[in-house]
Amino acid sequence: MSVRKMVNRPAIAEAARRIVDEQGVAALSMRTLATALGIKAPSLYDHVRNRDEVIALVQNLGLEDFGAGFAGAGESTREKVLFYREWALKNRNLYPIVFQQQLHRDLITPGLEAKVLAIVVEAAGGSHVAARAVWAQLHGLVDLELQGRLPADADMTSTWNQVVISVDAIRQANLLTR
Amino acid sequence: MSVRKMVNRPAIAEAARRIVDEQGVAALSMRTLATALGIKAPSLYDHVRNRDEVIALVQNLGLEDFGAGFAGAGESTREKVLFYREWALKNRNLYPIVFQQQLHRDLITPGLEAKVLAIVVEAAGGSHVAARAVWAQLHGLVDLELQGRLPADADMTSTWNQVVISVDAIRQANLLTR
DNA sequence: ACCTGAACACCGTTCAAGT
DNA sequence: ACCTGAACACCGTTCAAGT
């Protein structure tokens, strides 16, 4: 009995995410992906338009994973902020794909991006402007940390505490003016 | 009289930056770079170890350009913040190379990174922790903006004003505790 | 519908060979 | 020292051909 191949878009998405998690985006080629699925590269094009669409599938998985975790991360500013950091560190190969690329909006589960954004807006005190400033701060520090742009001996705990304070100030100011 | 080729590291750096500015990093291949310099790709390896070293040369040019501008950008929080944004928008292809990659520190002009960091620390009110939180905010919003992650109709002027307020709050708090 | 091998135009990089 | 053509092992993608 040979192993039955079940190649479809969900299977491709999972295999792709696995490769990204374990070896980074650079290792995600159409050939390695095909091999992981037990087929040859050209066959992938029967399921997917191109590599970009594979990336979009991974973005979708990542956004779902993040969204579920962030929604259930506790209500305080501190809990939300620290969840964001921990998710990024735990998914360091996935993070840039989900949060640092053009989002292939036509291929993402409808409403998913809006759902995640709504949680951020809520956490920021209800204002879209505030939400962007807050998100920028979280995203920026995560990126600097992931890219190794901060000194190796930088006190990240204190830095994230500073971010918690700063985010909370934005949140409070916006709650007041509601 | 034939045109004399003067291929050396500064010439390579300039040609590479030009390609990046005009066509983006993806267009910077060893072959296109060589062609721009009037030589063949393998010859580049007589001047440069590999493509990474070319990227480092571009990082260096970018960091110098940014550093000079940022230092002379005015003293107020608002001026510094808005300069950061404008430099990023004016150098949208260069920005990610300078601020979103591992810095090839061994190949960067000695002291250059420290000089730029010192300006940020100064602008943040003197604390390294505060400087990281401030930088995160600027870098994060620039990245979200450059990657098109914010809605097309997002009010970026208000958002950057929010960032100015937030950065200034961090700065003031740190000036007080000095 | 799904898969294949062969091929195309690209990469970065190495290497023997020329001056 | 600097440059070259040829080659290697990779890419993403297309296409004719098989089932």
Side-chain angles (χ1 to χ4, degrees):
Chain A
M1 271 221 306
S2 71
V3 178
R4 196 145 338 190
K5 293 178 200 169
M6 257 307 289
V7 176
N8 49 27
R9 288 168 68 90
I12 290 172
E14 258 189 58
R17 184 191 168 158
R18 202 162 214 275
I19 293 171
V20 167
D21 276 343
E22 293 173 359
Q23 301 167 254
V25 224
L28 180 66
S29 78
M30 297 304 268
R31 283 168 173 88
T32 61
L33 177 57
T35 302
L37 290 160
I39 60 177
K40 304 294 176 183
S43 309
L44 283 172
Y45 293 81
D46 281 317
H47 300 94
V48 123
R49 217 189 315 260
N50 48 35
R51 186 177 184 272
D52 252 34
E53 203 162 298
V54 176
I55 296 291
L57 292 175
V58 176
Q59 286 182 322
N60 209 35
L61 284 184
L63 207 55
E64 265 168 9
D65 188 311
F66 171 81
F70 196 55
E75 302 213 343
S76 73
T77 300
R78 167 164 222 93
E79 286 167 306
K80 292 287 191 204
V81 168
L82 294 187
F83 173 84
Y84 195 96
R85 181 193 184 200
E86 273 151 37
W87 192 87
L89 292 179
K90 204 176 299 171
N91 300 277
R92 40 175 71 236
N93 289 338
L94 191 55
Y95 183 88
I97 296 180
V98 178
F99 288 111
Q100 215 165 78
Q101 306 232 340
Q102 293 256 146
L103 206 56
H104 302 267
R105 294 198 167 83
D106 44 328
L107 299 166
I108 297 295
T109 309
L112 181 54
E113 188 190 10
K115 200 191 103 192
V116 173
L117 276 181
I119 308 170
V120 180
V121 170
E122 176 60 32
S127 147
H128 281 264
V129 167
R132 280 174 224 132
V134 166
W135 186 18
Q137 212 160 349
L138 305 182
H139 170 62
L141 190 53
V142 158
D143 190 42
L144 294 176
E145 199 174 358
L146 289 183
Q147 306 294 333
R149 288 302 294 253
L150 304 174
D153 65 341
D155 180 350
M156 294 313 294
T157 303
S158 297
T159 305
W160 279 98
N161 279 339
Q162 172 68 268
V163 169
V164 170
I165 292 168
S166 176
V167 167
D168 205 48
I170 295 173
R171 173 186 161 85
Q172 295 302 333
N174 276 282
L175 283 173
L176 288 179
T177 57
R178 269 223 276 211
Chain B
M1 271 217 309
S2 72
V3 177
R4 197 146 336 193
K5 292 178 201 171
M6 258 307 291
V7 175
N8 48 29
R9 290 168 68 89
I12 290 173
E14 256 189 59
R17 185 190 166 160
R18 201 161 214 275
I19 293 171
V20 167
D21 276 344
E22 293 173 0
Q23 300 167 255
V25 224
L28 180 66
S29 77
M30 297 303 269
R31 283 169 173 88
T32 60
L33 177 57
T35 302
L37 290 160
I39 59 176
K40 303 294 175 182
S43 310
L44 283 171
Y45 293 82
D46 281 317
H47 302 94
V48 124
R49 218 190 314 259
N50 49 35
R51 187 177 184 272
D52 253 34
E53 204 163 294
V54 175
I55 296 290
L57 292 175
V58 176
Q59 286 183 320
N60 209 34
L61 284 184
L63 208 54
E64 266 169 8
D65 188 310
F66 171 82
F70 196 53
E75 301 212 343
S76 73
T77 301
R78 169 165 220 93
E79 286 167 306
K80 292 286 191 205
V81 167
L82 294 187
F83 173 84
Y84 194 97
R85 182 195 183 198
E86 274 152 37
W87 191 88
L89 292 180
K90 203 177 299 171
N91 298 277
R92 39 174 73 235
N93 290 337
L94 192 55
Y95 183 87
I97 296 180
V98 178
F99 288 112
Q100 216 165 77
Q101 306 233 337
Q102 293 257 147
L103 207 55
H104 302 268
R105 293 198 168 82
D106 44 329
L107 299 167
I108 298 294
T109 310
L112 181 55
E113 187 190 10
K115 199 190 103 191
V116 173
L117 276 182
I119 308 170
V120 180
V121 170
E122 176 58 32
S127 145
H128 280 265
V129 167
R132 279 174 223 131
V134 166
W135 186 19
Q137 212 161 348
L138 305 182
H139 170 62
L141 190 53
V142 158
D143 191 41
L144 294 176
E145 200 174 356
L146 289 182
Q147 305 295 333
R149 288 303 293 253
L150 303 174
D153 64 340
D155 180 350
M156 294 313 294
T157 304
S158 297
T159 305
W160 278 99
N161 280 339
Q162 174 67 268
V163 169
V164 170
I165 292 168
S166 175
V167 167
D168 205 48
I170 295 174
R171 173 186 161 87
Q172 295 301 333
N174 276 282
L175 283 173
L176 288 179
T177 56
R178 269 222 276 211

